[in-house]
Amino acid sequence: MSKAGQHALITLRKMIASGELAAGERVAEIPTAEALGVSRMPVRIAFRTLEQEGLLVKAGARGYTVREISPESIAGAVEVRGVLEGLAARQAAERGLSAKSVAVLRQCLDDGDQLFEKGYVTEEDLEVYHDLNLRFHQQIIEASGNPAVSMALARNEHLPFASVSALAVDSNDMRREFRRFNFAHMQHHAVFDALLSRQGARAEAIMREHANATLRYAEVFASTAGMADSIKVIQREEQK
């Protein structure tokens, strides 16, 4: 996905999580693109991704409506992901990692170390982290040798904020975001150590706890209120 697409996706995801784009509210390409300062194509792609994540519902040919979500529904979906990824980690540890899995996971850790070693992160850094985080999780699932885990996760990812790729960033508090994502990266190191040591129970426990970091997406983000308001104003003007 392009940089503009990632920006649109992360911003809209955050606005939905905060309630600034309210349940049942209609969103359309043109006003959203104008408010975000991007072209229509990145917004179109972001809308489709958010529909797949269970955050938007198709509303006719020209737009979407925001799906009603609650902290409880997010927590439930994330807990299921933690259980499934924990199972994958335990089975991967018990089977033992292949040379390929070790290489992929080590590369993800090395890339993350380079990202966080400067002591702060930018939004662009977190886009890079998004990709390496996805690779890290996918490799553990593959290493489990259990295709049922992958299929169950694919179904669960259609629930709001259940996907490991559902990255939301508070750009108004990047110091806090550095701490949050750096901690998540340290958990990656811990689970990798457990996998190498073939400590199945430990690997499972770390991955289940790791999933809980996602629950922050159920909190209210205060940083996008102005942008949300501008989208709503443009939409009202368009509908006149």
Side-chain angles (χ1 to χ4, degrees):
M1 186 180 292
S2 68
K3 183 177 178 179
Q6 282 283 5
H7 168 69
L9 178 60
I10 291 173
T11 301
L12 290 169
R13 190 185 284 134
K14 179 169 57 174
M15 293 164 72
I16 294 170
S18 71
E20 292 158 3
L21 287 177
E25 186 166 348
R26 181 178 176 273
V27 292
E29 286 181 18
I30 294 176
T32 303
E34 291 177 354
L36 297 180
V38 299
S39 66
R40 292 177 64 181
M41 184 56 69
V43 171
R44 184 177 304 166
I45 295 171
F47 280 175
R48 290 173 181 169
T49 302
L50 292 170
E51 181 187 18
Q52 292 171 355
E53 293 178 3
L55 296 178
L56 294 180
V57 178
K58 189 73 174 174
R62 298 185 58 191
Y64 293 81
T65 57
V66 178
R67 178 178 173 179
E68 184 174 0
I69 58 175
S70 66
E72 292 77 17
S73 65
I74 296 174
V78 170
E79 185 175 5
V80 169
R81 176 162 69 83
V83 169
L84 291 170
E85 289 192 330
L87 172 61
R90 177 171 63 79
Q91 293 181 329
E94 291 171 351
R95 293 180 76 225
L97 295 179
S98 67
K100 176 201 169 186
S101 291
V102 171
V104 171
L105 294 173
R106 280 193 192 278
Q107 188 62 58
C108 290
L109 294 176
D110 289 344
D111 291 345
D113 289 344
Q114 292 180 20
L115 203 64
F116 294 110
E117 67 181 358
K118 62 183 180 293
Y120 66 91
V121 289
T122 64
E123 289 188 65
E124 290 74 17
D125 289 333
L126 293 182
E127 289 171 11
V128 174
Y129 178 80
H130 168 274
D131 293 336
L132 71 86
N133 181 59
L134 188 58
R135 291 198 308 273
F136 188 89
H137 283 251
Q138 288 176 335
Q139 190 58 47
I140 292 176
I141 294 164
E142 180 180 323
S144 74
N146 187 348
V149 171
S150 181
M151 289 186 288
L153 280 167
R155 289 193 292 271
N156 194 59
E157 285 179 356
H158 292 291
L159 299 174
F161 294 102
S163 171
V164 70
S165 65
L167 174 64
V169 176
D170 185 353
S171 59
N172 281 356
D173 195 347
M174 295 304 289
R175 290 178 61 187
R176 181 173 60 180
E177 296 299 68
F178 168 78
R179 294 193 299 270
R180 180 164 71 100
F181 286 101
N182 186 50
F183 178 72
H185 182 61
M186 291 302 100
Q187 288 180 315
H188 284 180
H189 274 282
V191 75
F192 180 62
D193 180 71
L195 292 169
L196 282 182
S197 303
R198 305 190 71 163
Q199 297 172 323
R202 178 176 167 232
E204 180 175 17
I206 294 169
M207 286 301 287
R208 291 186 67 164
E209 176 58 29
H210 185 56
N212 284 331
T214 308
L215 294 179
R216 183 175 177 277
Y217 298 155
E219 298 175 4
V220 173
F221 292 89
S223 60
T224 52
M227 187 172 293
D229 288 343
S230 62
I231 288 178
K232 293 173 185 177
V233 168
I234 294 171
Q235 287 174 336
R236 284 195 293 269
E237 291 300 317
E238 184 188 57
Q239 293 166 4
K240 287 181 179 178

